Amino acid sequence: MTSSPHLHRRTLIRRSAAAGLTALPAMAALSACASGGGGSGGGGKQQNAPGEVTERNPFGLTADSGVEVLIFNGGFEDQYARDVGAVFEEHYGSVEHNATEEISARVQARMVSGNPPDMINNSGADMMPLPALLKEGQVADLRPLFDAPSWDDPAVKVRDTLLPGTVESGQYGGQEVYVLNYAFTVYGTWYSRKLLHDTLEEEYPQTWDQMLAVCEKAKKQGIAGWTYAGHHARYLSFTMMPMMAKVGGPEVFDAIDRLEPGAWKQDAVVAVFEAYEEIAAKGYLLPGTPGINHTESQTEWAKNKALFLPCGTWLENESKADIAPDAEIAVGAATGLDSSDALPFGTLYATAGEPFIVPADAAAPRAGMEFLRIMLGRDAARNFTEKVSSLTSVAGAADGLALPPGLTSAQEAVAAAGENIVAPRFREWYPVFFSDVMGVAMGEMMAGDLTAAEALDRIQAGADAVAADDSVEKYL
Amino acid sequence: MTATASPGTADGPRPAPQGPAPRHRPGAGGGRSEGGVLNVFAHSFLIIWVVMAVGPVLWIVLSSLKPTGDITGSPFGLPTGVEWENFTTAWTEASVGRYALNSVIVLAFSLTGTMLLGAMAAYVIARYEFFGNRAVHYLFIGGLMFPVFLALVPLYFVMDNLGLLNTRPGLVLVYIGYSLPFTIFFLTAFFRTLPGAVHEAATIDGASHTRIFFQIMLPMAKPGLVSIGIFNFLGHWNQFVLPRVLNNADEENFVLPQGLASLMVQQGSYDANWGALYAGLTIAMLPILVVYLSFQRQVQAGLTAGALK
Amino acid sequence: MDTQVSPVVDPPTPASRGGPGARPPAVSRVALAAALLLPPRLTPESVRYDRRYRTVDRYRFVCWFLAPPLLIYTVLVIWPFLQAFFYAMTDWTGFGGEFSMVWSGNFSRMWRDDAFWDALANSLVLLVLAPVITLALGLFFAYMLNAGGRHRRSESVGGVRGAAFYKIVYFLPQVLSVAIIAIVWARVFSPRSGLVNTGLEAVGLGSLAQDNWLGGSWARWVILLVLCWSFVGFYVVLFSAAMAAVPRDIYEAALLDGAGRAATFFRVTFPLTWDTVRTGWIYMGIQALDAFALVIVMVPRGGFDVLPTYLYLKAFREGQAGYATAVGVVLFLITLVFTLVMMRVGRRDRIEF
């Protein structure tokens, strides 16, 4: 038995829209006066008869095709998207730009009533759970976008301008590409070169023995070896996951991504957990770390209270107020165990991140895709990199730009990694398991509440539970 | 819930007894043997709890005057200098002023609405015989039994279907709806105790029902209205769950408790810092504390009367 | 509303039918019924002078006064509550318009859901401990304030000096928003710049400082502490009022019998205020079952859940609105059982005085 309580309003809206938008402006006005004009714009814009499709205008928009976008106002803020909007408006109709830190709260109801914005930057702690959206058929397939001519050169398709793996990172088990991951994020161990090289007179550790030695030396000078976002302990995975791949090879991730029995009991996984447990056990953690959030941990790290911090490339922008100008921050590839590791030093966790989607029920999905096509153009991508100190998925877009130190080091790390760029997928596929089971268990291990073995037991049990849960969609 | 209600009904009509200070009561003399020891014992416990109750609040207020360096550097010490800038940052950049304004607007309508509609329904239920009187009364009182969390998810979508989600009128209506059961329960009991003679005399004089209600009965019910009014005032002003779910789309529209909670979460990331957060908390607490200290008897009476649901 | 009115309007009273002499021209029932919708001023005179008009007037008043509150209440309170029981049997995500019935599926899933059991256990711990601790402290302080003072010549029992001051201070947390309370205490327990850790270090007890008061194994005790903290003063005031209502001569009799303060408390004060205590117990239990704001603000995600926060996460973060509603039904049942049990267990004959 299937019922649909909201269909009524949904059809109502569609019909009234078809009937010349008589009812809707009244409704929109009603709610607009109440909500201060915020996100009620769905009814306001019109989906005009498509314009001519050309290679410069592959989605056939016209001069009055509007678009409504919702941007996540987080570490990247939203100015870069306003700049894209300005370009959009030069060619087509007006852009209704909204930005929020709480994406789900802002649009969940509009998704239900079939009246979502045309493009959503579905990111942040309050992002909508993509698996639930996919189950409902709420997300448009973006292949038309990836197969369209690129903004800068119509002879080249959009997909051919992107870094390898970008398109695949938006796939959920099939050929359809539901997500554009725009920011190319490098994850790793962040440190201040000044602190490490000049104050401690050490080099970046490549083996775990070196790591422990550096931490010991730092401790003697009153500097903690590590800190991390205790309240979001999943950040630990940004350095632990690539270390697993370095120790055991990329196959380690295959078993984890497929939720295979015993995936979290692989030798490489156990070795990495025990290595990190040692950091905590030897007292190299900044006191209080388990109880602080990500910004607090980044502030403490920027104040040189701790040497290393697991994070992604958004760090440089997010903590720019705290990072000393001469700190020369850098991101290091995962420290390995020893010379018997499967992959060489330099193995890097890097992947396209920062998801953008086009809702299937949007009034103007093609306008939403055009917005993304502009965003994937060279100028917009360079602008993004300059504004927010993060690379994009557009290949070579940042070439020749004067980048801040952290981002420069990230670029160098990507070059040094060569083929050995790895990224687990279960983080996007099973986000609840990732943050609430794996992340929490990692945190409790570092806090000393669990041993490495207990933490792994917990994580494995969680993975088994997800595997057995019919209500969770599986992607491999 | 009827049995729990009984003490409330007993206390309700009076503006909840704020017992006269016992020491004025005359009585026979008693033994003084254990007095001294117990007195020290009692006082030390009482004073410990004074520190417990005021300490954290005082710490926040003191910290709001400190430069951020002091706050993280020496959280325990007295401020090295006074940093009024925390307050301007909180008020403008961290939008505490805006949140406060939102709260005031919502409260103005929700409190008026609750008191008016609650009094109307309670009056009719208490003093008019009509078919379904008891049913309506129990329908309202029944609402006291349900945890708001049970309704939360459906309510979200009901609001959405009505176009009220994330709107100020919507929030006002929800506040009213969820305050009605207790308000009506309390005021019904109160109206029942008012003397009937005045009402009859007015009727004979030809006053309309509406006029009797507004010009005669409401003024007579003033003590009860004040108690329940204070209860609802604090309830609405401090409400967190409902706006958190039903008014969460746009930070511009956050009410004060919600805005402060979100400030705390994004602490340090953009335009806020600890000093500003503490200043924001202080701004949010001070008016309430002033009101409380000025009317503490009525506030205590109003809130404890409220407990007896 | 109409159905309530019609039976009363219809039967014309014997007086109006057989009334003598100068009766105004009869108006039709339709006109009378229409008058229900008109304000008195606009009602035509012919209707107003009808004998039946008084009844119409009364019912019109009742309807007009009841309709607005009843409408708001039904649509925003009753209707969602009823819907909840329906959604609890569906697999609705909360993101699409469609869902199918899973009947008891959500409840059998709950049975196997460890995270749900954790949240339930935490809620139950709070439900049991918070009222006991809070009420015990409330009674203790209230008794101290009312009978803990030095005996003076003219009194059998006396309150301590400054009782009014203590009550004002104790009650203070009650007027603060629970969100503010949560933030204040989250800062107090912050490991690196909070009052607790730095305070412990300042007095040489640094070894007791914890890295993570708000997560891990400490979280539930911190939440319990804050929950009790915010309500103790409330109960002090409540119980003080109840104790002040106990007649003095009962105390005097107890004292004449040679009862000490403790004995007086357990033999006199406690039994005589039991009704208030029991009501307070139920009220505190309901507060403990909520604890939403405290947990959602103070505790990092994944650290510690109570039923309401678990429900919130499922509904508004993970797209499982149906399952979340089923959790809400369980929460409702617990509230119901708790209230009924408390009302039964605590029932005694009311002591009249």
Side-chain angles (χ1 to χ4, degrees):
Chain A
M1 175 182 157
T2 304
S3 24
S4 164
H6 301 285
L7 199 66
H8 179 65
R9 183 170 127 89
R10 198 154 154 182
T11 33
L12 181 88
I13 286 170
R14 292 240 169 97
R15 274 186 206 142
S16 54
L21 295 157
T22 44
L24 261 176
M27 269 175 67
L30 245 170
S31 52
C33 72
S35 68
S40 63
K45 61 184 173 286
Q46 303 184 17
Q47 180 75 333
N48 284 336
E52 198 189 342
V53 173
T54 66
E55 55 181 18
R56 288 270 168 212
N57 182 10
F59 297 109
L61 303 189
T62 63
D64 50 0
S65 302
V67 68
E68 185 192 351
V69 300
L70 179 64
I71 303 299
F72 170 62
N73 192 8
F76 296 142
E77 298 169 46
D78 71 331
Q79 185 55 45
Y80 74 90
R82 290 183 189 278
D83 298 340
V84 174
V87 177
F88 186 95
E89 287 185 340
E90 279 172 27
H91 292 80
Y92 314 108
S94 63
V95 175
E96 185 180 336
H97 174 107
N98 290 301
T100 178
E101 275 188 75
E102 300 199 304
I103 294 288
S104 188
R106 183 77 171 243
V107 290
Q108 177 169 14
R110 290 181 61 191
M111 298 294 283
V112 175
S113 53
N115 171 34
D118 303 315
M119 195 279 283
I120 301 173
N121 175 195
N122 187 33
S123 182
D126 188 34
M127 63 196 262
M128 292 181 286
L130 204 69
L133 295 185
L134 292 177
K135 196 171 154 194
E136 299 282 344
Q138 297 262 26
V139 188
D141 181 5
L142 293 180
R143 277 180 296 177
L145 167 66
F146 290 112
D147 290 327
S150 67
W151 181 255
D152 300 296
D153 180 1
V156 181
K157 283 183 183 177
V158 168
R159 68 165 71 230
D160 297 328
T161 64
L162 304 178
L163 288 172
T166 305
V167 174
E168 290 73 12
S169 73
Q171 287 177 334
Y172 280 72
Q175 283 307 303
E176 299 84 357
V177 189
Y178 292 111
V179 178
L180 163 65
N181 286 305
Y182 186 60
F184 189 76
T185 307
V186 175
Y187 303 88
T189 319
W190 290 79
Y191 61 98
S192 153
R193 285 193 167 119
K194 188 180 169 205
L195 182 64
L196 182 68
H197 299 326
D198 301 350
T199 311
L200 292 175
E201 298 174 333
E202 281 287 345
E203 289 304 309
Y204 183 81
Q206 302 199 0
T207 67
W208 208 248
D209 285 339
Q210 290 170 6
M211 171 60 80
L212 296 175
V214 172
C215 289
E216 184 63 35
K217 192 164 181 183
K219 190 182 178 184
K220 287 199 176 114
Q221 303 203 16
I223 302 165
W226 283 71
T227 188
Y228 62 91
H231 282 184
H232 312 281
R234 58 180 184 275
Y235 275 46
L236 282 166
S237 71
F238 300 156
T239 54
M240 292 174 73
M241 297 303 301
M243 184 172 171
M244 291 173 201
K246 178 170 172 1
V247 174
E251 313 79 67
V252 173
F253 289 170
D254 294 343
I256 290 176
D257 287 343
R258 293 198 192 104
L259 300 171
E260 283 175 10
W264 291 88
K265 299 297 175 70
Q266 301 175 83
D267 292 343
V269 178
V270 175
V272 170
F273 270 69
E274 285 171 350
Y276 272 77
E277 188 185 24
E278 202 175 350
I279 296 236
K282 291 205 161 143
Y284 298 147
L285 269 191
L286 179 75
T289 293
I292 58 183
N293 69 14
H294 58 298
T295 46
E296 286 174 295
S297 72
Q298 287 158 211
T299 305
E300 299 282 357
W301 168 81
K303 290 196 302 192
N304 286 342
K305 294 276 163 67
L307 182 57
F308 294 121
L309 174 85
C311 203
T313 24
W314 64 83
L315 165 71
E316 194 163 28
N317 195 50
E318 193 167 51
S319 289
K320 61 187 172 212
D322 296 321
I323 296 172
D326 61 346
E328 282 188 77
I329 64 164
V331 56
T335 302
L337 218 48
D338 52 40
S339 55
S340 68
D341 288 352
L343 296 179
F345 176 75
T347 300
L348 195 66
Y349 178 7
T351 179
E354 197 62 16
F356 289 77
I357 60 170
V358 172
D361 282 344
R366 286 170 306 150
M369 290 191 203
E370 182 67 6
F371 190 95
L372 293 177
R373 196 173 72 99
I374 299 173
M375 214 166 89
L376 288 169
R378 210 177 160 76
D379 289 343
R382 288 172 79 85
N383 182 49
F384 181 84
T385 300
E386 284 182 313
K387 283 260 156 59
V388 308
S389 304
S390 170
L391 302 171
T392 63
S393 310
V394 182
D399 291 353
L401 283 178
L403 300 177
L407 199 53
T408 310
S409 78
Q411 251 187 335
E412 291 162 4
V414 172
E419 294 285 291
N420 295 319
I421 288 187
V422 293
R425 293 303 315 277
F426 75 103
R427 180 179 163 201
E428 290 88 35
W429 290 343
Y430 313 110
V432 180
F433 165 69
F434 172 76
S435 63
D436 290 6
V437 179
M438 182 210 72
V440 170
M442 284 177 172
E444 293 192 8
M445 177 185 81
M446 296 305 269
D449 294 340
L450 296 179
T451 66
E454 286 166 346
L456 286 167
D457 283 344
R458 176 105 69 90
I459 296 170
Q460 185 61 54
D464 293 343
V466 174
D469 188 345
D470 295 336
S471 67
V472 180
E473 206 75 23
K474 310 298 185 307
Y475 298 104
L476 254 179
Chain B
M1 221 61 185
T2 37
T4 40
S6 60
T9 359
D11 287 346
R14 292 170 264 146
Q18 169 64 45
R23 61 172 163 271
H24 300 307
R25 299 275 180 119
R32 51 175 70 212
S33 51
E34 53 185 339
V37 185
L38 205 69
N39 209 26
V40 173
F41 176 75
H43 265 285
S44 47
F45 266 95
L46 290 169
I47 287 166
I48 287 174
W49 196 261
V50 167
V51 175
M52 279 287 284
V54 184
V57 175
L58 206 62
W59 179 63
I60 292 290
V61 174
L62 277 181
S63 296
S64 72
L65 298 169
K66 292 180 182 179
T68 302
D70 276 12
I71 290 173
T72 47
S74 61
F76 212 42
L78 288 167
T80 54
V82 176
E83 183 92 342
W84 293 110
E85 205 186 310
N86 287 336
F87 284 83
T88 48
T89 314
W91 188 259
T92 53
E93 282 172 55
S95 310
V96 171
R98 190 176 177 96
Y99 301 151
L101 182 70
N102 289 336
S103 275
V104 169
I105 294 173
V106 169
L107 181 75
F109 288 96
S110 67
L111 188 60
T112 319
T114 306
M115 297 306 292
L116 186 67
L117 296 183
M120 280 159 57
Y123 174 68
V124 166
I125 291 170
R127 304 199 66 105
Y128 285 78
E129 273 306 316
F130 58 92
F131 180 79
N133 180 315
R134 287 171 72 90
V136 172
H137 194 194
Y138 284 131
L139 184 69
F140 277 118
I141 291 182
L144 292 172
M145 222 170 46
F146 291 83
V148 66
F149 283 92
L150 177 59
L152 214 49
V153 178
L155 176 64
Y156 179 87
F157 295 100
V158 166
M159 295 285 283
D160 181 37
N161 284 350
L162 294 173
L164 290 172
L165 192 64
N166 297 319
T167 68
R168 223 172 254 155
L171 201 59
V172 167
L173 287 177
V174 169
Y175 279 16
I176 295 175
Y178 283 82
S179 308
L180 280 179
F182 185 68
T183 308
I184 290 175
F185 162 70
F186 184 89
L187 286 178
T188 306
F190 201 91
F191 277 121
R192 281 196 178 135
T193 63
L194 296 183
V198 188
H199 189 177
E200 279 159 29
T203 317
I204 293 166
D205 286 352
S208 72
H209 294 288
T210 327
R211 225 179 118 185
I212 295 175
F213 171 70
F214 281 108
Q215 297 192 342
I216 298 171
M217 299 311 277
L218 270 193
M220 281 170 70
K222 202 172 149 200
L225 291 173
V226 168
S227 279
I228 194 72
I230 290 172
F231 179 78
N232 282 326
F233 174 91
L234 286 169
H236 292 188
W237 180 260
N238 293 337
Q239 181 56 254
F240 175 72
V241 177
L242 291 172
R244 168 91 193 157
V245 174
L246 302 172
N247 181 39
N248 207 15
D250 196 340
E251 274 171 45
E252 298 252 296
N253 294 329
F254 280 8
V255 293
L256 200 49
Q258 191 188 7
L260 289 170
S262 117
L263 262 189
M264 147 116 181
V265 171
Q266 54 178 273
Q267 197 42 247
S269 49
Y270 312 115
D271 39 22
N273 53 49
W274 291 122
L277 176 72
Y278 293 157
L281 288 171
T282 308
I283 292 173
M285 288 188 295
L286 278 186
I288 289 291
L289 292 183
V290 169
V291 170
Y292 167 59
L293 292 178
S294 327
F295 301 100
Q296 48 95 7
R297 238 155 230 274
Q298 289 91 326
V299 171
Q300 289 185 356
L303 283 194
T304 42
L308 295 166
K309 70 179 181 181
Chain C
M1 209 98 312
D2 291 341
T3 50
Q4 297 174 7
V5 175
S6 49
V8 189
V9 181
D10 281 350
T13 57
S16 70
R17 184 168 293 169
R23 194 160 72 96
V27 285
S28 69
R29 285 183 192 173
V30 178
L32 276 173
L36 278 172
L37 301 171
L38 293 172
R41 251 170 243 205
L42 299 181
T43 311
E45 294 223 330
S46 60
V47 177
R48 269 202 270 174
Y49 291 127
D50 192 280
R51 299 273 328 226
R52 291 165 294 174
Y53 176 68
R54 280 191 70 164
T55 315
V56 171
D57 188 35
R58 272 170 50 85
Y59 268 84
R60 173 172 60 194
F61 177 70
V62 167
C63 293
W64 280 47
F65 261 43
L66 270 185
L70 207 53
L71 181 75
I72 293 179
Y73 181 66
T74 315
V75 172
L76 296 180
V77 183
I78 297 294
W79 176 228
F81 275 133
L82 294 180
Q83 274 184 305
F85 291 97
F86 170 71
Y87 283 130
M89 295 182 293
T90 70
D91 67 350
W92 189 32
T93 62
F95 281 94
E98 289 168 17
F99 52 80
S100 45
M101 301 301 296
V102 295
W103 303 111
S104 64
N106 284 328
F107 296 95
S108 48
R109 190 181 144 199
M110 234 178 264
W111 189 256
R112 301 184 306 266
D113 180 354
D114 290 342
F116 164 77
W117 286 102
D118 284 348
L120 178 67
N122 289 330
S123 275
L124 292 180
V125 166
L126 293 181
L127 175 65
V128 172
L129 292 182
V132 174
I133 297 173
T134 313
L135 269 70
L137 283 172
L139 276 170
F140 173 73
F141 288 131
Y143 189 62
M144 285 292 171
L145 293 182
N146 281 278
R150 194 186 300 274
H151 293 293
R152 260 151 291 202
R153 219 164 300 148
S154 58
E155 300 170 6
S156 56
V157 282
V160 296
R161 209 181 287 265
F165 164 79
Y166 286 121
K167 271 191 259 178
I168 292 175
V169 173
Y170 288 2
F171 196 77
L172 189 142
Q174 194 60 31
V175 301
L176 299 177
S177 167
V178 63
I180 291 180
I181 291 174
I183 300 171
V184 168
W185 281 95
R187 292 315 302 155
V188 168
F189 278 104
S190 165
R192 289 195 60 80
S193 54
L195 200 51
V196 172
N197 275 3
T198 47
L200 285 173
E201 270 152 32
V203 297
L205 291 172
S207 56
L208 292 179
Q210 295 294 324
D211 274 346
N212 194 10
W213 288 108
L214 301 175
S217 46
W218 280 99
R220 86 194 55 188
W221 307 118
V222 171
I223 295 291
L224 180 65
L225 168 81
V226 178
L227 196 60
C228 296
W229 175 83
S230 56
F231 279 96
V232 164
F234 174 81
Y235 286 102
V236 171
V237 170
L238 188 72
F239 293 149
S240 289
M243 286 176 192
V246 175
R248 295 289 122 177
D249 35 359
I250 299 186
Y251 281 121
E252 281 157 26
L255 284 170
L256 284 177
D257 288 349
R261 270 198 180 77
T264 315
F265 175 79
F266 286 108
R267 302 230 189 101
V268 179
T269 314
F270 190 69
L272 287 182
T273 50
W274 170 248
D275 259 354
T276 314
V277 172
R278 192 185 59 175
T279 313
W281 196 308
I282 294 174
Y283 180 67
M284 190 64 208
I286 290 172
Q287 296 296 329
L289 278 177
D290 182 332
F292 173 81
L294 293 184
V295 176
I296 207 109
V297 173
M298 293 175 67
V299 179
R301 164 127 180 232
F304 167 79
D305 270 315
V306 289
L307 282 183
T309 57
Y310 190 66
L311 182 158
Y312 178 83
L313 285 178
K314 287 288 161 190
F316 300 106
R317 290 288 182 276
E318 295 176 20
Q320 301 178 16
Y323 186 58
T325 321
V327 174
V329 170
V330 171
L331 183 64
F332 165 65
L333 292 178
I334 293 174
T335 314
L336 197 67
V337 169
F338 166 74
T339 311
L340 292 177
V341 166
M342 280 310 296
M343 276 158 50
R344 288 228 154 248
V345 165
R347 178 174 294 164
R348 300 185 180 187
D349 291 330
R350 203 183 166 119
I351 302 162
E352 301 290 341
F353 50 79

